[in-house]
Amino acid sequence: MQIENHLRPRAANHRPLTPLDFLERAVLSFPERPAVAWRETVWTYREFHGIVARFAAFLVRQGVARGDVVSVMAQNRPEMLAAHYAVPMVGAVLNTINTRLDTATVTYILEHAESRLVIADEACMQVAFEAAAAVGAPVFALADTDADKGDGRLHLLCGDIAPAMPDVDAAITDEWQPICLNYTSGTTGQPKGVVYHHRGAYLNALGNVLALGLNQRSVYLWTLPMFHCNGWCHTWAVTAAGGLHVCLEKIDPQLIFSSIERYGVTHMSCAPVVLYMMVNHPSASPRKSGGRLTVVTGGASPTSALIEQIDRLHFDLIHLYGLTESYGPATLCILDEKDVGRDAPDKARLLARQGIRHATASRVQVIDKQGMEVAWDGSQPGEIVLRGNTLMAGYYRDEAATEAAFADGVLHTGDIAVVHPDGYVEIKDRFKDVIISGGENISSLEIESVLHQHPAVLLAAVVAVPDDKWGEIPFAFIELKPGASATAEELLQFARKHLAGFKVPRRFAFRELPKTATGKIQKFVLRDVAQL
């Protein structure tokens, strides 16, 4: 069929995809439905729309224009959620900053991002002010309470009449237009600026609605930082579904459990470390009301012990995999109905896999060094590569890194995986984390998975250290559960029962593991420690 001129896109049948439309629809369709809960207040979608409008009006008064970068350093509070709509609504680019970064790193980000202005909450004020001063960017503090009125802080949560909302059609003229600039988490050193576009954010958000089963009755608890990949695009997904955002400023198991009961939470997302904190907390107990809660996690694979513990809390687990470069989740692993009744070890084996791509995400392949797809036999390793509409536009001000990441027409993840006969992908390691001992490749993830089965181990991380005889040997860093004890010899003997001899760690160290704000273990820090 030949595409004739009269079949072209036009104003009536083509509009740039943008997640800003989700809020517009919500306000028109169900304005009085609860939208955001924080502390003792609940805002409807109409009221939240007012917060966004006030935020956008403030940006316009500050001279923020199309293409400007607006940096926000704040915890999971309503203004942080509103920023995901207000900043792009004026055509600007949102840069959410990790709240646990030091002044030097934040200064680097503000300078590299060429931030037009900075907004911070009380918890991040000192670092934000110091970094902004270093680069000459204006900085504004969010008011924490109404008592802060008159001190120059931003009061966006209250107001009788909301100003007119900017014209989205005028601000968003191209769906490839940048919507966000996110910096990588720092697990490998200097962060890189990842540019998201409106099209990808729209599609990934809808993919998450389908993957998580979100709907108008969903209540989403914000235990995942909104600054991390824009909360895996759930900042837009929950609104698209018409659900309730429950904002939580800090990770405290007691607050999490009380919020679950108070609001009837149906969904939450977090790193595995948060789940370990929850199941080992004194207040951990099964839900008193409501159905089962869907917990979405990424990172380290769930162990059988963790699955048993969260099952007793009436939680169902979804295991996701993705990168900052893929807007967060690209694949998901959910137990099939026939597998729900399996025992914990079998569930853990199945949920350890990273799964298959969700409905709108990238195409996922595992390829060998020649660029050919590996056999679906669960044993031939290769690199996970992605291709599709929910990938970054590229790295900001870094053409060389962008070209390298997209070499050969795919996004290279650096993750080593196998593909099982059912098409499910399972990560075996990162290229840089493979330990080569005596010519044998050892997966650090395999060793960590075994160590996590020990009842005293909360977290385990394994890195390579040089060895005169073997070239490299495994070094295990162990964070014990509160009140638990274990010795290096005890863990050595435990590992020997479950691993081939050459895979058993020769050295152990007990300490709190260094983590990013999203719960990822910073192995580059541990490698430096191991060399001492």
Side-chain angles (χ1 to χ4, degrees):
M1 178 180 177
Q2 187 175 15
I3 303 299
E4 299 169 321
N5 185 56
H6 71 278
L7 301 178
R8 70 189 183 280
R10 59 184 80 206
N13 64 11
H14 175 76
R15 189 167 181 267
L17 298 179
T18 173
L20 303 184
D21 281 346
F22 301 145
L23 179 59
E24 180 180 304
R25 172 183 174 272
V27 173
L28 291 174
S29 303
F30 33 82
E32 301 309 317
R33 183 181 297 169
V36 182
W38 181 55
R39 297 181 179 175
E40 301 303 316
T41 306
V42 177
W43 291 266
T44 65
Y45 271 101
R46 176 181 55 79
E47 291 167 332
F48 178 61
H49 187 262
I51 296 172
V52 173
R54 284 189 287 275
F55 202 146
F58 161 76
L59 295 174
V60 172
R61 289 197 302 272
Q62 299 306 314
V64 173
R66 181 187 174 97
D68 286 341
V69 174
V70 175
S71 297
V72 181
M73 193 173 184
Q75 299 175 95
N76 288 350
R77 49 190 288 163
E79 299 99 327
M80 183 60 147
L81 180 63
H84 285 78
Y85 298 89
V87 175
M89 199 164 281
V90 299
V93 182
L94 176 63
N95 167 228
T96 55
I97 299 178
N98 185 327
T99 58
R100 290 175 60 184
L101 294 179
D102 57 30
T103 302
T105 306
V106 175
T107 301
Y108 169 80
I109 289 173
L110 296 181
E111 183 175 36
H112 187 269
E114 303 171 304
S115 296
R116 175 69 175 74
L117 58 84
V118 182
I119 298 169
D121 68 3
E122 182 68 34
C124 307
M125 197 81 70
Q126 182 174 347
V127 171
F129 266 87
E130 291 173 356
V135 301
V139 60
F140 299 88
L142 292 172
D144 201 48
T145 66
D146 283 348
D148 296 324
K149 284 184 177 178
D151 64 359
R153 301 191 187 192
L154 278 177
H155 286 267
L156 301 173
L157 301 182
C158 55
D160 296 330
I161 301 175
M165 197 70 84
D167 183 358
V168 173
D169 288 335
I172 314 302
T173 58
D174 183 354
E175 61 188 26
W176 194 256
Q177 192 172 320
I179 186 171
C180 292
L181 176 60
N182 293 324
Y183 281 78
T184 52
S185 61
T187 56
T188 57
Q190 194 73 281
K192 294 192 289 289
V194 177
V195 179
Y196 289 0
H197 44 74
H198 283 255
R199 174 182 175 83
Y202 178 95
L203 291 172
N204 195 274
L206 289 184
N208 288 328
V209 171
L210 293 171
L212 275 61
L214 298 172
N215 58 45
Q216 63 185 20
R217 292 177 295 280
S218 297
V219 179
Y220 185 89
L221 180 62
W222 275 104
T223 44
L224 177 74
M226 292 185 197
F227 64 70
H228 179 51
C229 305
N230 307 108
W232 293 347
C233 291
H234 295 164
T235 46
W236 301 300
V238 175
T239 300
L244 172 64
H245 298 264
V246 179
C247 295
L248 197 64
E249 292 166 277
K250 61 181 180 178
I251 297 301
D252 179 331
Q254 182 66 57
L255 288 176
I256 293 173
F257 284 118
S258 62
S259 295
I260 288 172
E261 293 300 326
R262 178 178 182 181
Y263 294 103
V265 171
T266 61
H267 294 77
M268 59 179 280
S269 304
C270 60
V273 64
V274 176
L275 295 178
Y276 285 112
M277 290 170 60
M278 292 177 64
V279 299
N280 289 293
H281 195 268
S283 62
S285 61
R287 303 189 65 173
K288 297 182 178 65
S289 60
R292 294 179 69 85
L293 188 152
T294 297
V295 179
V296 185
T297 191
S301 300
T303 64
S304 56
L306 179 61
I307 287 174
E308 282 185 316
Q309 291 170 307
I310 65 173
D311 187 66
R312 287 198 291 268
L313 297 177
H314 298 170
F315 292 177
D316 291 325
L317 191 70
I318 297 178
H319 187 194
L320 297 180
Y321 162 74
L323 314 165
T324 302
E325 291 84 347
S326 64
Y327 293 71
T331 72
L332 75 159
C333 184
I334 303 177
L335 288 178
D336 193 271
E337 285 295 325
K338 70 180 188 305
D339 298 317
V340 171
R342 289 177 178 262
D343 58 20
D346 280 345
K347 285 183 179 180
R349 177 177 55 82
L350 294 172
L351 285 171
R353 304 181 300 175
Q354 279 61 43
I356 55 176
R357 69 184 180 106
H358 69 59
T360 61
S362 312
R363 293 191 177 277
V364 181
Q365 286 184 301
V366 179
I367 61 174
D368 60 23
K369 292 181 179 179
Q370 287 71 45
M372 302 298 293
E373 190 170 8
V374 302
W376 289 19
D377 58 6
S379 62
Q380 184 183 356
E383 182 190 11
I384 297 178
V385 294
L386 308 176
R387 182 167 56 89
N389 294 297
T390 55
L391 297 179
M392 66 173 181
Y395 295 116
Y396 185 54
R397 300 173 62 189
D398 197 337
E399 182 178 354
T402 300
E403 294 303 323
F406 285 127
D408 304 315
V410 294
L411 175 70
H412 293 268
T413 68
D415 288 316
I416 300 172
V418 298
V419 184
H420 291 277
D422 59 1
Y424 275 56
V425 170
E426 182 178 2
I427 290 178
K428 293 300 183 181
D429 221 330
R430 294 281 297 171
F431 276 130
K432 63 180 179 296
D433 293 335
V434 171
I435 303 162
I436 304 175
S437 184
E440 297 282 355
N441 288 352
I442 303 173
S443 167
S444 62
L445 293 184
E446 180 184 1
I447 302 173
E448 291 162 4
S449 179
V450 167
L451 294 174
H452 277 135
Q453 296 174 33
H454 190 281
V457 173
L458 177 64
L459 294 170
V462 176
V463 299
V465 291
D467 182 78
D468 292 338
K469 181 178 180 180
W470 301 107
E472 292 180 336
I473 58 172
F475 189 138
F477 289 87
I478 304 296
E479 184 174 333
L480 296 173
K481 294 178 180 177
S485 63
T487 65
E489 180 61 27
E490 180 183 343
L491 292 178
L492 176 67
Q493 296 304 323
F494 181 83
R496 280 179 174 165
K497 294 178 181 179
H498 301 279
L499 293 168
F502 70 94
K503 298 180 180 180
V504 175
R506 309 299 177 87
R507 296 171 62 186
F508 290 85
F510 297 88
R511 55 167 289 168
E512 182 179 355
L513 301 186
K515 308 171 190 73
T516 68
T518 57
K520 293 181 182 178
I521 296 170
Q522 295 175 308
K523 284 194 173 182
F524 73 95
V525 174
L526 297 179
R527 290 190 191 95
D528 290 341
V529 173
Q531 307 302 316
L532 300 177

